[in-house]
Amino acid sequence: MIDRETFTELMSGVCAPVTVVTATTADGRPHGSTVSSFASLSLDPPLVSFALDRASGLLAHLQPGDRVGVNILGAHQQELASAFARRRQGPGSKFDGVSWTVRAGLPYLPESAGWTAGRVERHVDGGDHVLLLVCLEEAESTSTAPLIYARRIFGTHAPLAVAS
């Protein structure tokens, strides 16, 4: 088995989409976290997946049957990505000072490159993480350039120059 450092270095070279996954707590408060493991899983039914650290405060609000939103961040939203990636300590919320609204009953970050909402189908054990499988109920994409993360820096996708 490879060591943690080798694995981390290898995976840092894999470009990942940057999303903010959101939920609403039982008492109506918004909750969210930056997630870079978002991926399509199935066309029929429309399933996506993402992983959360077992210590994530968001995980408790995303049990099977719960609704979840995924904001696919745009290249201009790297500050949001950083803000939602931090573990919140003390009073307040990651949503304090952030422009957001409610969409389909879930916290929504306007100006994102895409948005989707669905219901958690199940959890799958993934070592120190839990993989969540989500059946999508609605989605919207835009032409906004997506935010990606690789080699420990934010970037975006650009087409390769066409050779003549």
Side-chain angles (χ1 to χ4, degrees):
M1 194 162 66
I2 64 172
D3 61 71
R4 184 181 183 113
E5 185 177 314
T6 301
F7 181 72
T8 301
E9 186 59 30
L10 171 71
M11 295 311 296
S12 78
V14 176
C15 292
V18 182
T19 66
V20 172
V21 173
T22 62
T24 304
T25 62
D27 61 0
R29 288 179 298 136
H31 203 67
S33 188
T34 299
V35 173
S36 61
S37 57
F38 180 70
S40 63
L41 181 62
S42 167
L43 287 173
D44 188 18
L47 296 173
V48 295
S49 67
F50 60 86
L52 292 175
D53 187 298
R54 289 187 181 281
S56 168
L58 181 59
L59 187 56
H61 306 290
L62 293 177
Q63 297 304 304
D66 289 343
R67 293 190 32 78
V68 59
V70 180
N71 297 271
I72 301 165
L73 298 187
H76 64 287
Q77 293 177 305
Q78 54 188 294
E79 286 182 20
L80 275 179
S82 295
F84 279 89
R86 293 186 191 97
R87 291 205 188 270
R88 190 70 176 161
Q89 310 243 327
S93 160
K94 291 180 183 179
F95 286 86
D96 290 348
V98 170
S99 176
W100 66 283
T101 187
V102 174
R103 182 170 177 177
L106 296 160
Y108 168 69
L109 302 171
E111 300 181 24
S112 293
W115 156 261
T116 191
R119 203 165 292 280
V120 177
E121 290 287 311
R122 75 180 99 136
H123 289 182
V124 178
D125 179 46
D128 60 3
H129 280 64
V130 174
L131 185 68
L132 287 83
L133 306 184
V134 176
C135 186
L136 298 184
E137 297 170 344
E138 66 176 80
E140 176 187 45
S141 61
T142 71
S143 60
T144 301
L147 183 64
I148 61 171
Y149 190 74
R151 298 280 183 222
R152 298 174 185 88
I153 59 171
F154 291 113
T156 193
H157 172 73
L160 294 173
V162 177
S164 48

